[in-house]
């Protein structure tokens, strides 16, 4: 593992809703792990989705985290101020012939998939893109980004070949500290077993790396930022476990270092369902208004995990 002084953790919420207990768990875990090893904790505002990000949600993030007793380094990186970094990364992928423009609508793809039984789906459940635009004459990514209105997709087959990725994922792996072993339960910042996980980026198909309405996707922005900010330990929810395969592929293609990963369990509601930002009752500010203390929050998230 990386030496003590160099450990850098980050908590990276999207300001498109109020933080809930699940975010609190992630933030507390990052904070505790960083503090325990004398490392740094960064806060990153993932606001590339300018249609959904709102200033009041960003202000609430700072307020809720401070209420929890957390502290983080300033200045905070706001992704919406760094599109040029993501464009640079996309141009590097394009220079290797790995991107193509796509103007298909999500509804077109869904319609195609609905008409065929057993259409392959990505780990998030979306139908895999059939590659309709892959063989069209290629346009420079720079031009596509400048003009907007069209997505850029990764040519997954080419990308996997270039990354030296074997047919069953050999060659690309990540160091995971979040395996759901009993040792991860009961305490918020224990030291779970390290395992190497073989990446399987192909299960994502030709993913979108620049969206029609935003010149970057979460996947490219997160990989670029983690590297630019020198993040050594990515600690986030299990719902992003599969995305890590894709992140490792992009890191390899862009020649970026691979952080350690820890994907923690999700905080669930009484019905055993994942918490959603749309359900106001589990928002930290709603609990605070009900009289919860930061210690109550900590107890609740640790108990479950
Ligand atoms: N911004 C993402 C979210 O709020 C988290 C991304 C990450 O930790 O990699 O779900």
């Amino acid at each position: 593992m990386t030496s003590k002084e160099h450990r850098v953790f980050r908590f990276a919420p999207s300001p498109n809703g109020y933080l809930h207990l699940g975010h609190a768990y992630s933030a507390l875990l990052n904070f505790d792990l960083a503090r325990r090893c004398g490392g740094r904790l960064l806060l990153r505002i993932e606001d590339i989705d300018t249609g959904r990000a709102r200033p009041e949600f960003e202000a609430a993030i700072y307020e809720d985290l401070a209420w929890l007793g957390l502290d983080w380094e300033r200045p905070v990186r706001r992704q919406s101020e760094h599109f040029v970094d993501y464009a640079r990364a996309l141009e590097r992928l394009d220079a290797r012939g790995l991107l193509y423009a796509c103007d298909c609508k999500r509804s077109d793809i869904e319609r195609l998939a609905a008409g065929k039984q057993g259409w392959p789906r990505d780990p998030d459940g979306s139908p895999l893109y059939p590659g309709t635009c892959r063989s069209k004459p290629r346009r420079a990514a720079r031009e596509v980004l400048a003009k907007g209105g069209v997505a850029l997709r990764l040519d997954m087959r080419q990308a996997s070949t270039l990354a030296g990725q074997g047919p069953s994922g050999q060659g690309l792996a990540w160091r995971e500290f979040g395996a759901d072993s009993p040792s991860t339960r009961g305490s918020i910042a224990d030291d779970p077993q390290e395992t190497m996980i073989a990446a399987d980026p192909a299960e994502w198909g030709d993913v979108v790396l620049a969206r029609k309405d935003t010149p970057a996707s979460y996947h490219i922005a997160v990989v670029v930022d983690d590297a630019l900010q020198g993040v050594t330990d990515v600690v986030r929810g299990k719902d992003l476990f599969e995305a890590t395969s894709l992140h490792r592929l992009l890191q390899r293609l862009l020649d970026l270092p691979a952080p350690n990963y820890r994907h923690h369990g999700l905080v669930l509601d009484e019905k055993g369902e994942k918490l959603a930002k749309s359900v106001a009752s589990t928002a930290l500010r709603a609990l605070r208004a009900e009289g919860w203390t930061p210690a109550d929050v900590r107890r609740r998230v640790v108990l479950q995990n």
Side-chain angles (χ1 to χ4, degrees), residues 10-16 23 26 44-46 79 218 222 226 234-237 239-240 247 261 277:
R10 76 347 178 236
F11 175 57
S14 304
N16 52 19
H23 298 105
S26 215
R44 185 165 74 223
I45 300 294
E46 302 215 322
Q79 291 190 322
Y218 156 66
V222 80
D226 284 339
V234 172
V235 177
R236 59 186 178 191
D239 49 342
L240 290 167
H247 300 171
Y261 287 89
K277 278 190 179 141

Side-chain angles (χ1 to χ4, degrees), residues 9 49-50 67 85 113 124 153-154 188 190 226 264 271 302:
F9 295 79
D49 193 343
T50 44
W67 173 72
D85 291 326
D124 285 345
R153 287 185 182 273
L154 181 71
I188 202 160
D190 55 5
D226 284 339
H264 59 73
K271 290 191 213 125
V302 172

Side-chain angles (χ1 to χ4, degrees), residues 87 90-91 94 99-102 137-152 210-212 215:
L90 289 168
E91 283 169 28
D94 193 41
L99 299 184
Y100 64 89
C102 171
R138 301 254 167 134
R139 289 167 55 195
R142 184 188 287 262
E143 197 188 290
V144 173
L145 291 173
K147 211 155 168 231
V150 174
L152 282 173
R211 293 165 27 174
K212 286 183 183 176

